[in-house]
């Protein structure tokens, strides 16, 4: 059971949240101007790293706010939690978890 | 029956758990491992949204008689009105008073500022679970930490009980108010009755 | 009384089913990923195309990834024509393989039931039965009573929250012993001169311009005329090293077994709605699975509430299981594609081919995935069966949406 530190409500079981996939994927400004390849890229292609991953979560049965998380997809350890309008934080090897 | 038909809507209303009143009464357990369950029907509930710390948030607090709570778990109580924190910019007012003039006063306090004042009284109902075993009953199905050191009297959070999302409010030392949506209320009530069933039986060590 | 021994000598049994050679400096072709699909690909490269100067590179131990972790269901009752074709081709191959590979991997064609619990399920099921019949796939629609005759331990009482309203039945579907399948293919490969190289992880690709000419591994550089990726959950990792992206996400998929029980479950039962699939293996354990964990993960593990939900579903469907004991849970890493259909074909890198995106349903396709991937690698062109499944469909929009068939594992 992941324990996810909601930035507004504190740590809660993952069952209170809904997963939102890769973070920082902006909706295209002018989708009508994209080529088929570019549109396919936006719709279907996502990063899928074995390691640190910036992703979105929403606290569905709590405050219902979306937020970003950097999580290690191997250990499932959450290394950072930040707002949707913030850039992905730089994490070094010695960075502790944002618990 | 005819009297009710002639009296108007207020007398005709039926709360979501009226049909379980007898079941609640029958499930009462007294004593040191006791608990009791009842519905607190027809509470006024108002959904509030406003920018935290703004003038409109202050004005809403003035109407309610206490500032809006500022962080997870906090509630503000003044007279009939209790305000529960749901999110940084969202609150739920639960009151024994009639919806009017409260809702109107809150809407006026918000004015044209960004936010919302919505009468949500029909959206949820209120279950009250009391007694020394109340917390133990809840802990069977609530993943949140309900220990008194983090969930003291007056605390309220949005969480789940079994599969049902609801607001859980510790309104008294051994008194919890649960606010599920009306359509889930029957399930939550039966879940609680089932969870209470063992209390009346000899404890197995 | 004779003094000579009266016991029969034991049949000759090799110490090993395959050799463990060191990698050669180069091969005609390399298959990256030594699971079911990788080993089957190598087998058909050798058998169908005469390519024996090839190697399978496995970063761990042979078939220790998803091939060790699936719930062994074999069926071909998919809705869409393109899917039915490739899964049914697999099923026909399965039917020959024990004899062809001379290895009894306990392929048991005990049928599969897909239960219907709502009117929509009934509509979906009857439609799928008709589509299957049109595609030459064996399929029948069963009423609730007929379901009970096929599988007496299913609760077909109408008093349930989600009562069984009927189901589809594919008689030729079934299960097999997954490890033995891998070993059967591996032995056959080894006998044809294929190098199976374990503990060999591809860390980079050697390219000449945009053409792959080999791989870098933790055991040195290996050149190859062509390279095929059959690495399931690790497909994106390899693609990233080769310089392109795939439209897949790797999720944990958990499964479990019970302790050993007397045989009570005669078939395979799947329920999309009361979310679980379960069979009983040869030695008596119940084998169960359901949906992926929601987040992406390479940890080969997931959260326990997912296991609790599938056990609750199983007890709801099969009251007799209420006293069964959970013995062990585990997880694999499944590469899920946007349309729940595989991706088999060329990549943006010349001479580099990929077979991935099978998500939660790769085991049943082991033989046909190997067959068509071998064809694609050997000829440079997709086999007719994987033409619809190339990467291009995500640009053209010709998706093959099988979430209905695969929906249990969501």
């Amino acid at each position: 059971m992941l324990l996810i530190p909601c930035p507004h409500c504190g740590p809660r079981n993952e069952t209170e949240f809904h997963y939102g996939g890769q973070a920082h994927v902006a909706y295209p400004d002018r989708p009508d101007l994209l080529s088929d390849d570019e549109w396919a890229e936006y719709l279907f292609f996502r990063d899928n790293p074995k390691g640190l991953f910036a992703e979105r979560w929403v606290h569905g049965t709590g405050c219902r706010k979306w937020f970003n998380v950097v999580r290690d997809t191997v250990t499932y350890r959450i290394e950072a939690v930040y707002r949707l309008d913030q850039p992905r934080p730089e994490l070094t090897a010695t960075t502790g978890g944002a618990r | 029956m005819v009297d009710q038909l002639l009296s108007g809507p207020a007398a005709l209303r039926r709360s979501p758990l009226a049909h379980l009143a007898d079941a609640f009464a029958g499930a009462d357990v007294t004593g040191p491992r006791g608990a009791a369950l009842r519905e607190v029907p027809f509470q006024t509930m108002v959904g509030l949204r406003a920018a935290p710390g703004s003038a409109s948030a202050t004005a809403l607090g003035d109407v309610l008689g206490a500032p809006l709570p500022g962080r997870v778990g906090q509630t503000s109580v003044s007279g009939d009105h209790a305000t529960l924190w749901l999110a940084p910019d969202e609150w739920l007012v639960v009151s024994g008073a009639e919806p009017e003039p409260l809702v109107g006063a809150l809407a006026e306090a918000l004015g044209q500022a960004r936010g919302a004042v919505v009468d949500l009284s029909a959206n949820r109902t209120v279950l009250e679970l009391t007694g020394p075993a109340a917390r133990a009953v809840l802990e069977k199905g609530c993943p949140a930490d309900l220990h008194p050191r983090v969930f003291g009297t007056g605390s309220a959070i949005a969480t789940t009980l079994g599969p049902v999302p609801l607001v859980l409010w510790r309104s008294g030392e051994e008194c919890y108010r649960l606010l599920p949506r009306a359509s889930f209320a029957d399930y939550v009530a039966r879940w609680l009755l089932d969870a209470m069933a063992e209390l009346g039986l000899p404890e197995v060590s | 009384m004779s003094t000579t021994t009266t016991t029969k000598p034991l049949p000759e049994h090799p110490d090993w089913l395959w050799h463990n050679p060191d990698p050669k400096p180069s091969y005609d072709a390399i298959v990256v990923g030594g699971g079911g699909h990788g080993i089957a690909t190598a087998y058909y490269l050798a058998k169908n195309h005469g390519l024996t100067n090839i190697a399978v590179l496995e970063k761990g131990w042979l078939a220790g990834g998803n091939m060790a972790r699936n719930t062994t269901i074999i069926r071909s009752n998919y809705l869409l024509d393109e899917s039915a074709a490739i899964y049914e081709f697999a099923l026909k191959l399965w039917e020959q393989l024990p004899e062809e590979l001379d290895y009894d991997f306990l392929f048991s064609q005990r049928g599969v039931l897909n239960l219907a619990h709502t009117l929509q399920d009934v509509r979906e099921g009857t439609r799928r039965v008709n589509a299957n019949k049109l595609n030459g796939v064996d399929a029948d629609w069963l009423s609730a009573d007929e379901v009970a005759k096929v599988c007496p331990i299913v609760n077909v009482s109408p008093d349930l929250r989600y009562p069984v309203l009927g189901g589809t039945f594919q008689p030729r579907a079934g299960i097999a012993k997954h490890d033995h399948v891998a070993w059967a293919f591996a032995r056959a490969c080894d006998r044809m001169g294929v190098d199976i190289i374990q503990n060999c992880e591809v860390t980079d690709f050697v390219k000449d311009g945009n053409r792959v000419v080999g791989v870098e591994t933790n055991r040195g550089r290996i050149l190859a005329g062509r390279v095929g990726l059959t690495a399931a959950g690790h497909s994106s990792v390899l693609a990233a090293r080769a310089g392109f992206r795939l439209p897949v996400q790797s999720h944990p998929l958990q499964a479990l077994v019970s302790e050993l029980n007397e045989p009570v479950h005669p078939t395979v039962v799947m329920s999309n709605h009361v979310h679980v699939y379960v069979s009983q293996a040869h030695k008596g354990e119940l084998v169960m699975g359901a949906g992926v964990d929601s987040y992406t993960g390479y940890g080969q593990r997931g959260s326990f509430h997912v296991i609790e939900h599938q056990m609750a579903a199983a007890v709801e469907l099969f009251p007799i299981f209420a006293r069964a004991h959970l013995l062990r849970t585990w997880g694999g890493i499944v590469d899920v594609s946007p349309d729940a259909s595989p991706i088999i074909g060329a990549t943006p890198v010349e001479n580099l081919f990929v077979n991935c995106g099978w998500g939660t349903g790769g085991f049943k396709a082991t033989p046909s995935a190997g067959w068509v991937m071998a064809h694609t690698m050997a000829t440079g062109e997709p086999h007719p069966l994987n033409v619809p499944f190339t990467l291009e469909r995500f640009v053209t929009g010709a998706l093959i949406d099988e979430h209905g068939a695969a929906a249990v594992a969501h």
Side-chain angles (χ1 to χ4, degrees), chain C residues 20-88:
Chain C
N20 277 297
D22 289 327
K24 300 211 291 262
S26 76
Y27 294 93
D28 291 337
I30 285 174
V31 177
V32 181
H37 287 203
I39 309 167
T41 300
Y43 174 73
Y44 289 114
L45 277 170
K47 175 170 178 281
N48 291 350
H49 302 278
L51 280 170
T52 54
N53 180 26
I54 64 176
V56 178
L57 306 182
E58 166 54 43
K59 73 174 172 62
W61 70 94
L62 191 82
N66 291 350
M67 188 61 168
R69 297 159 198 272
N70 59 75
T71 57
T72 81
I73 296 175
I74 294 172
R75 63 190 177 98
S76 60
N77 57 347
Y78 281 65
L79 174 68
L80 301 169
D81 296 345
E82 302 90 335
S83 319
I86 197 168
Y87 290 110
E88 175 59 22

Side-chain angles (χ1 to χ4, degrees), chain B:
Chain B
M1 182 61 176
V2 172
D3 302 318
Q4 285 178 319
L5 286 172
L6 293 174
S7 308
L12 288 173
R13 63 185 182 174
R14 234 173 111 74
S15 68
L17 295 173
H19 62 294
L20 289 178
D22 288 340
F24 292 157
D28 257 20
V29 179
T30 52
R33 264 179 91 226
L37 182 63
R38 70 179 183 110
E39 184 187 22
V40 185
F42 311 130
Q43 296 298 287
T44 292
M45 287 179 264
V46 189
L48 297 181
R49 297 195 88 123
S54 64
S56 47
T58 307
L60 290 168
D62 290 340
V63 168
L64 292 164
L68 301 177
R71 49 168 288 138
V72 61
Q74 280 184 350
T75 60
S76 302
V77 178
S78 174
D80 273 333
H81 313 321
T83 305
L84 317 181
W85 186 101
L86 296 186
D89 61 348
E90 187 179 10
W91 299 264
L92 184 68
V93 178
V94 186
S95 178
E98 289 297 307
E100 292 303 347
L102 176 61
V103 176
L106 289 167
E108 207 184 306
L110 178 67
Q112 295 304 305
R114 256 180 104 133
V117 173
V118 185
D119 183 347
L120 296 174
S121 303
N123 183 236
R124 301 176 189 270
T125 191
V126 180
L127 281 145
E128 189 180 78
L129 180 69
T130 53
R135 188 179 121 209
V137 167
L138 292 173
E139 283 176 340
K140 290 187 180 190
C142 180
D145 188 354
L146 302 181
H147 192 282
R149 69 179 161 241
V150 295
F151 200 72
T153 304
S155 299
I157 53 171
T159 181
T160 52
L161 186 69
V164 179
L166 43 64
V167 176
L168 175 63
W169 174 23
R170 187 180 177 195
S171 53
E173 175 94 8
E174 282 179 353
C175 181
Y176 295 84
R177 293 197 162 190
L178 295 84
L179 289 73
R181 285 196 184 77
S183 56
F184 293 139
D186 178 85
Y187 181 93
V188 172
R190 292 181 194 278
W191 191 99
L192 288 163
L193 289 170
D194 180 81
M196 288 164 67
E198 65 165 306
L199 299 175
L201 301 169
E203 196 169 3
V204 179
S205 51

Side-chain angles (χ1 to χ4, degrees), chain C residues 121-264:
Chain C
D121 284 350
V122 172
R123 287 181 178 139
E124 185 276 329
T126 50
R127 179 192 179 201
R128 190 161 43 76
V129 165
N130 291 330
N132 287 159
K133 285 182 196 278
L134 287 170
N135 278 317
V137 174
D138 56 319
D140 291 299
W141 173 260
L142 305 185
S143 66
D145 287 339
E146 288 167 331
V147 166
K149 286 203 185 66
V150 168
C151 192
I153 57 171
V154 172
N155 187 351
V156 294
S157 155
D159 297 333
L160 301 181
R161 175 66 182 86
Y162 296 112
V164 173
L165 302 181
T168 71
F169 187 61
Q170 180 179 21
R172 286 163 58 241
I175 57 176
K177 279 255 174 270
H178 50 106
D179 294 331
H180 296 247
V181 171
W183 302 338
F185 271 116
R187 183 181 69 171
C189 281
D190 182 86
R191 285 177 173 176
M192 289 192 278
V194 172
D195 278 0
I196 294 174
I197 303 168
Q198 297 170 93
N199 301 307
C200 185
E201 179 172 4
V202 169
T203 54
D204 207 348
F205 291 88
V206 186
K207 292 206 271 192
D208 176 11
N210 188 45
R211 186 165 52 92
V212 76
V213 296
V215 295
E216 300 286 2
T217 78
N218 59 342
R219 294 176 67 172
R221 170 178 289 205
I222 310 171
L223 300 177
R226 61 210 92 180
V227 179
L229 305 179
T230 58
H234 281 77
S235 300
S236 295
V237 175
L238 288 166
R241 289 184 186 144
F244 65 98
R245 274 203 309 185
L246 288 165
V248 295
Q249 295 278 275
S250 296
H251 288 266
L253 179 63
Q254 298 184 72
L256 66 93
V257 287
S258 70
E259 292 179 332
L260 306 185
N261 296 112
E262 280 181 40
V264 293

Side-chain angles (χ1 to χ4, degrees), chain C residues 71 73 75 112-115 117 154 253-256 265 268-279 286-291 306-318 321 405-410:
Chain C
T71 57
I73 296 175
R75 63 190 177 98
V112 69
L113 270 169
N114 290 78
L115 299 180
H117 302 270
V154 172
L253 179 63
Q254 298 184 72
L256 66 93
H265 183 22
V268 182
V269 172
M270 306 182 76
S271 172
N272 284 8
H273 211 89
V274 184
H275 209 220
V276 71
Y277 36 91
V278 56
S279 64
L286 300 171
V287 182
M288 270 202 261
V306 174
I307 297 292
E308 285 181 301
H309 286 155
Q310 64 184 257
M311 288 200 289
V315 171
E316 169 80 357
L317 286 174
F318 304 91
F321 292 167
V408 178
H410 270 185

Side-chain angles (χ1 to χ4, degrees), chain A residues 8 12-13 16 61 63-65, chain B residues 49 88-90 143 158-159:
Chain A
H8 309 292
R12 300 283 185 92
N13 283 3
E16 293 196 6
T61 61
C63 62
R64 304 186 300 158
K65 299 300 186 195
Chain B
R49 297 195 88 123
D89 61 348
E90 187 179 10
T159 181

